Amino acid sequence: MATAAAQRTAGTEADGTPDTAGTTAHQRAFDAAVAAEERIEPRDWMPDAYRATLVRQIAQHAHSEIIGMQPEANWITRAPSLRRKAILMAKVQDEAGHGLYLYSAAETLGTSRDELLDKLHSGRQKYSSIFNYPTLTWADVGAIGWLVDGAAITNQVPLCRCSYGPYARAMVRICKEESFHQRQGYELLLALGKGTPEQHAMAQDAVNRWWWPSLMMFGPPDDESQHSAQSMEWKIKRHSNDELRQRFVDICVPQAESLGLTLPDPELRWNEERGHYDFGPIDWTEFWEVLKGNGPCNEQRITQRRRAHDEGAWVREAAAAHAAKHTGGAGGTGATRA
Ligand SMILES: [Fe+2]
Ligand SMILES: [Fe+2]
């Protein structure tokens, strides 16, 4: 029995010819595979718009991972203990790894890493706006882990079932590491929340600053979200922005209570009828301003990223020369390692 996957890879020229309804056999096989919850793999035929959507989303995700290293790296040298420093370093390194998995996933769609980095550096591709906010105190490391990584997990767990195979598989590993990130943030805030009055105040201040931007991480409301409907149809996305945001709020409220911290929203209350927490309106003007480049750290983040890329040029050159040497490629001796 031919599965949808076999049909869409065993292409003939006729596959590209539209039938009377204007649908090609390729398209029908793709639609059938998506409907049957099969994974679309790199060599399979896929609609151009599906490919372009994935490249845009995976690139933006990869960029967010590596730009996201900056606000927390800011505190590595000032971590209050060896234990905290080791944890934070491990987390920041994980984020670099997430970037690598995701750039690799994007490469399977025929886009090189150089091209994507070039688009990031020239502002033609975006990263998550959350990383354009500054980390003012040590408690921000906790608030980022708890809220920002927490929001990322809420967003990313459903991506483990994304219709595009390489992206879905990258997300499985990323989500495991994100759980550690969320835990370390929560545990850090717990220590501060139960600490001295000054420590408690520092934790509360950090949560006050990160709460609303974290809610914005789920993207604009459903009725204003440009790409949502099509992405849901393709099973790249499984839940709407508003659904995921609500799920996140519902998770955070009891956790904030256990931390002994409050969330900065006077309208936050349990709605018995809906079975969810109601929350106040989000300031979308702020969201669009930060997205346009007018957040507190947009310029600093991209300048630092370009500098890191330039300063890493020698590593890339050395790695390429090493690879060439061991594969017998241009400039290599063809010798293999003993
Ligand atoms: Fe990450
Ligand atoms: Fe993370």
Side-chain angles (χ1 to χ4, degrees):
M1 194 189 72
T3 62
Q7 283 162 17
R8 65 185 192 273
T9 46
T12 65
E13 273 182 40
D15 290 345
T17 315
D19 62 15
T20 44
T23 315
T24 63
H26 275 142
Q27 178 75 52
R28 283 195 301 277
F30 171 86
D31 292 343
V34 170
E37 297 287 335
E38 289 180 23
R39 294 284 168 267
I40 305 298
E41 296 298 336
R43 289 202 173 89
D44 294 340
W45 183 91
M46 62 188 85
D48 290 345
Y50 176 82
R51 186 185 299 274
T53 296
L54 279 167
V55 169
R56 182 182 49 77
Q57 181 173 334
I58 299 174
Q60 181 170 330
H61 193 164
H63 300 330
S64 304
E65 300 285 355
I66 62 168
I67 295 274
M69 296 167 73
Q70 292 183 32
E72 291 177 287
N74 179 36
W75 281 94
I76 290 176
T77 54
R78 291 173 286 168
S81 69
L82 182 60
R83 174 174 169 267
R84 291 287 177 203
K85 184 168 177 150
I87 293 171
L88 183 56
M89 281 175 68
K91 182 200 190 269
V92 172
Q93 284 176 356
D94 280 352
E95 305 300 5
H98 298 174
L100 294 183
Y101 310 154
L102 290 164
Y103 286 120
S104 300
E107 281 179 317
T108 67
L109 292 157
T111 320
S112 74
R113 193 179 305 183
D114 283 349
E115 190 183 328
L116 296 180
L117 285 173
D118 193 49
K119 284 186 173 155
L120 169 65
H121 297 157
S122 59
R124 284 173 294 154
Q125 275 177 347
K126 303 224 172 287
Y127 55 88
S128 176
S129 280
I130 192 83
F131 301 117
N132 290 317
Y133 291 88
T135 40
L136 302 179
T137 71
W138 169 250
D140 288 33
V141 170
I144 289 181
W146 178 43
L147 296 173
V148 177
D149 291 275
I153 299 170
T154 310
N155 249 328
Q156 291 170 6
V157 164
L159 286 172
C160 298
R161 292 187 297 127
C162 163
S163 58
Y164 187 58
Y167 191 29
R169 290 189 288 273
M171 291 319 303
V172 172
R173 185 156 169 189
I174 289 177
C175 282
K176 286 182 188 161
E177 293 172 349
E178 294 301 355
S179 303
F180 151 61
H181 300 171
Q182 195 269 356
R183 269 325 276 180
Q184 66 84 36
Y186 183 86
E187 198 255 348
L188 196 164
L189 284 181
L190 191 63
L192 293 177
K194 310 253 181 249
T196 64
E198 288 80 7
Q199 287 173 323
H200 184 278
M202 186 165 75
Q204 184 61 60
D205 171 65
V207 168
N208 291 349
R209 282 180 291 107
W210 288 94
W211 173 248
W212 291 106
S214 300
L215 293 193
M216 295 177 200
M217 283 175 72
F218 296 92
D222 292 348
D223 48 8
E224 289 168 37
S225 177
Q226 235 184 320
H227 307 287
S228 273
Q230 180 63 78
S231 286
M232 301 260 281
E233 219 165 278
W234 279 328
K235 297 189 182 167
I236 294 174
K237 253 181 109 129
R238 299 279 177 166
H239 308 282
S240 77
N241 295 353
D242 287 333
E243 259 173 64
L244 292 168
R245 191 170 6 248
Q246 180 71 61
R247 186 177 295 176
F248 178 67
V249 171
D250 291 347
I251 292 170
C252 286
V253 175
Q255 290 185 347
E257 281 165 17
S258 318
L259 286 170
L261 298 171
T262 55
L263 296 170
D265 180 357
E267 294 180 42
L268 199 60
R269 62 180 57 86
W270 179 250
N271 182 325
E272 194 66 53
E273 217 168 284
R274 293 200 309 120
H276 292 289
Y277 284 93
D278 288 338
F279 53 97
I282 294 172
D283 180 2
W284 290 108
T285 324
E286 174 181 324
F287 175 80
W288 294 115
E289 277 305 307
V290 179
L291 197 72
K292 270 194 280 177
N294 303 326
C297 300
N298 295 57
E299 211 171 305
Q300 178 188 335
R301 299 291 183 239
I302 210 70
T303 305
Q304 166 63 20
R305 173 89 273 284
R306 287 198 203 107
R307 187 167 60 230
H309 188 74
D310 292 344
E311 287 174 357
W314 71 271
V315 180
R316 292 189 296 280
E317 283 160 22
H322 181 78
K325 192 170 153 188
H326 289 277
T327 55
T333 61
T336 50
R337 198 147 46 129

